[in-house]
Amino acid sequence: SGLGAAGAPASSASGQARRGPSGFATRRTQDRPVVSLSPGDRVTHDSFGLGTVVSVKGSGDKAEATIDFGGEKPKRLLLRYAPVEKL
């Protein structure tokens, strides 16, 4: 009986370990929907500050924006990962 009890928690723990990372990744993408931007939109970025959208290509998870933050040249950012907020 002791072996059976020890076996059960171990198997359920490994099941949780397998579900955990994928569950976390799924939740994370749902928590932060990809912001939809258009050229001319004003945005703010955690590191780069205020910027203006120059162009956008792709859509959904593959959406990529070129944003002018006032530096030498505009930055190309993958919207799925960039901490960009539309103003």
Side-chain angles (χ1 to χ4, degrees):
S1 153
L3 283 174
S11 66
S12 76
S14 68
Q16 285 173 350
R18 274 197 302 275
R19 276 194 309 274
S22 66
F24 176 74
T26 308
R27 272 200 309 279
R28 192 161 163 234
T29 6
Q30 287 171 349
D31 285 350
R32 277 201 49 204
V34 176
V35 62
S36 78
L37 299 174
S38 308
D41 282 349
R42 298 282 291 158
V43 296
T44 181
H45 184 283
D46 288 357
S47 302
F48 305 128
L50 293 175
T52 305
V53 178
V54 177
S55 65
V56 182
K57 69 176 189 180
S59 62
D61 288 349
K62 293 181 175 56
E64 184 182 291
T66 302
I67 302 174
D68 181 1
F69 290 103
E72 276 184 41
K73 60 182 183 176
K75 303 206 177 296
R76 283 177 43 202
L77 304 173
L78 265 176
L79 296 179
R80 180 173 181 204
Y81 300 110
V84 173
E85 203 179 308
K86 189 173 175 177
L87 297 178

